[in-house]
Amino acid sequence: MQFAKRLQPLQSNVFADMDRAKAVALVAGQQVIDLSLGSSDLPAEAHVIEAIAQSLHDRSTHGYLLFNGTFGFRQAAANWYEQKFGIKVDPQTEVLPLIGSQEGTAHLPLALLNPGDFALLLDPGYPSHAGGVYLASGQIYPMPIREENAFLPVFADIPASVLAQSRMMVLSYPHNPTAAIAPISFFQEAVAFCQQHNLALVHDFPYVDLVFEANGHWEKNLANPKSLVPSILQADPEKSVSIEFFTLSKSYNMGGFRIGYAIGNAQLINALRQVKAAVDFNQYRGILNGAITALTGPQVGVKSAIATFQQRRDAFITALHRIGWNVPTPKATMYIWAKLPSPWSQNSIEFCTQLVKQTGVAASPGAGFGKSGEGYVRFALVHEPALLETAVERMAEFLH
């Protein structure tokens, strides 16, 4: 049986590779502490679960859900965005429900790229960003992001010949895997660059709320353009070239419910809607009812999640410093991006393979996120502080 050539670059991915390594460690009798996958271990809030549970008994929710039936969710998403960022959004033309933000980043290239067109992607970056380009038979130009540039790309380094064939740029800050954040000045530069070169500017924004600041960042009015984590649309309020993807997976611990949405340029929203129409209908209406409840109800759970991940971050960083691994403290996300010590400094895959084999601690190799990720390892803070400290103790024995 013959398969399409576009499948070839999809045969290996960082999460699948680590999943196999974890399985081998389990068979060998290791007690695995899995820090390789950024899937929150925290539960969704009770009032969200109740809204979904009540929907199950409503037979009108059991059928197909077409676009017009999602208006209540789109309105809730638009209101949430306006309250948080101070920019008006039309729920009819500028919002689209998604099966998680990953669906948006994977499907949008189908609407933008012809075979051979370039997409400009962060390197390292989230694997689904590349996967969507491959499925669209596009080419990837990796924009290296390095520590000396605060893990921000340098647009001036992109060759003119590549720009002539480019149709889209994908950014994502707070960033996975590096946990870097980007100021509004960088987004303004990105918007101007994409306007100049006729590029769609795509911003994947799953960690909008997972931001840590001593003075209670979450309470601040993010309509302030100097906020620590701005929206791309604060740099492009006319939505001239930009689309932004949100998810309820991180802020509301709803990863398994697969619910997110896009906000942005009406033409981009409509193009993505056309792709979606060929692939799926929408999620079960009960899940959208739960999402509406999450966006419009008490936000105590969001604040609690932020506090939990901040506590875990602090415990893990302190433990790493205690064993002599001096890793910077991230300001956002649920990840630690750690530069590998010698002799592993250029072999992150072997480091992670041996680490889980010998200690049961599973992490994600930086090389799995792109060529420029080599020399680093990503840890996901998806366990309680005591277990995170146990993981570091096991790593101390492995490193010494």
Side-chain angles (χ1 to χ4, degrees):
M1 196 174 294
Q2 292 187 341
F3 294 94
K5 292 178 182 178
R6 68 175 60 90
L7 287 184
Q8 291 174 359
L10 304 179
Q11 290 175 2
S12 175
N13 95 37
V14 61
F15 303 122
D17 293 346
M18 283 313 301
D19 207 41
R20 284 188 286 272
K22 285 180 284 187
V24 171
L26 283 168
V27 170
Q30 286 286 3
Q31 290 183 311
V32 171
I33 301 176
D34 192 355
L35 308 181
S36 67
L37 192 62
S39 178
S40 176
D41 60 313
L42 304 178
E45 289 292 290
H47 64 282
V48 174
I49 300 301
E50 181 60 24
I52 297 171
Q54 290 298 322
S55 302
L56 292 170
H57 302 288
D58 178 358
R59 60 188 294 175
S60 71
T61 71
H62 295 181
Y64 291 127
L65 181 61
L66 301 179
F67 178 76
N68 286 335
T70 69
F71 184 78
F73 172 70
R74 287 182 277 125
Q75 182 71 68
N79 290 344
W80 177 92
Y81 184 86
E82 286 180 32
Q83 289 167 12
K84 197 168 185 72
F85 295 109
I87 295 173
K88 285 199 70 66
V89 175
D90 183 348
Q92 193 63 37
T93 61
E94 297 178 337
V95 183
L96 185 70
L98 298 172
I99 306 173
S101 63
Q102 181 165 328
E103 187 224 339
T105 57
H107 279 158
L108 187 60
L110 291 169
L112 289 172
L113 302 180
N114 290 314
D117 287 345
F118 273 101
L120 310 175
L121 306 186
L122 298 178
D123 175 18
Y126 190 64
S128 81
H129 298 169
V133 177
Y134 290 133
L135 288 175
S137 299
Q139 299 186 75
I140 291 171
Y141 179 81
M143 299 184 292
I145 56 174
R146 299 189 173 95
E147 188 174 3
E148 58 264 32
N149 296 320
F151 295 110
L152 300 174
V154 179
F155 299 139
D157 291 345
I158 303 170
S161 58
V162 170
L163 282 172
Q165 284 183 262
S166 297
R167 299 293 175 263
M168 62 188 292
M169 175 189 289
V170 182
L171 302 175
S172 183
Y173 292 96
H175 185 243
N176 177 12
T178 69
I181 58 175
I184 188 71
S185 57
F186 168 77
F187 284 142
Q188 289 166 339
E189 181 188 354
V191 169
F193 186 85
C194 289
Q195 289 172 335
Q196 178 186 352
H197 295 285
N198 196 26
L199 305 174
L201 180 50
V202 183
H203 187 229
D204 195 11
F205 204 17
Y207 301 99
V208 54
D209 288 314
L210 286 189
V211 182
F212 316 117
E213 194 175 35
N215 298 322
H217 165 84
W218 198 87
E219 296 285 359
K220 291 188 177 181
N221 177 8
L222 290 192
N224 173 8
K226 294 183 179 178
S227 62
L228 194 61
V229 176
S231 160
I232 198 74
L233 299 183
Q234 287 178 290
D236 185 14
E238 292 81 26
K239 310 180 189 76
S240 63
V241 294
S242 306
I243 186 171
E244 195 157 57
F245 294 130
F246 298 83
T247 177
L248 278 76
S249 297
K250 312 301 182 182
S251 300
Y252 298 97
N253 306 313
M254 295 178 68
F257 294 95
R258 307 312 303 134
I259 177 68
Y261 51 98
I263 286 180
N265 176 278
Q267 290 177 290
L268 290 173
I269 292 288
N270 186 59
L272 182 55
R273 181 182 165 190
Q274 288 176 269
V275 173
K276 273 185 66 68
V279 176
D280 63 64
F281 286 100
N282 288 283
Q283 293 91 324
Y284 168 55
R285 188 188 294 272
I287 291 176
L288 266 67
N289 290 341
I292 292 168
T293 300
L295 293 171
T296 61
Q299 302 296 298
V300 176
V302 180
K303 299 176 190 177
S304 176
I306 295 166
T308 295
F309 283 110
Q310 182 164 350
Q311 181 187 25
R312 294 176 179 185
R313 175 203 67 174
D314 293 345
F316 195 71
I317 290 287
T318 299
L320 287 176
H321 289 180
R322 194 182 304 130
I323 69 169
W325 197 346
N326 292 316
V327 174
T329 302
K331 294 180 179 178
T333 77
M334 56 172 64
Y335 306 113
I336 303 297
W337 184 242
K339 186 176 286 187
L340 284 167
S342 181
W344 307 99
S345 57
Q346 290 302 312
N347 202 341
S348 58
I349 293 174
E350 184 65 14
F351 172 85
C352 289
T353 302
Q354 291 301 319
L355 182 68
V356 72
K357 181 180 179 181
Q358 295 182 36
T359 72
V361 176
S364 291
F369 297 95
K371 183 180 178 182
S372 295
E374 184 57 277
Y376 290 85
V377 61
R378 192 199 74 176
F379 299 103
L381 302 171
V382 292
H383 293 290
E384 293 300 318
L387 200 55
L388 293 173
E389 289 170 355
T390 298
V392 175
E393 289 169 8
R394 293 189 193 177
M395 287 193 289
E397 297 176 18
F398 174 78
L399 291 169
H400 299 103

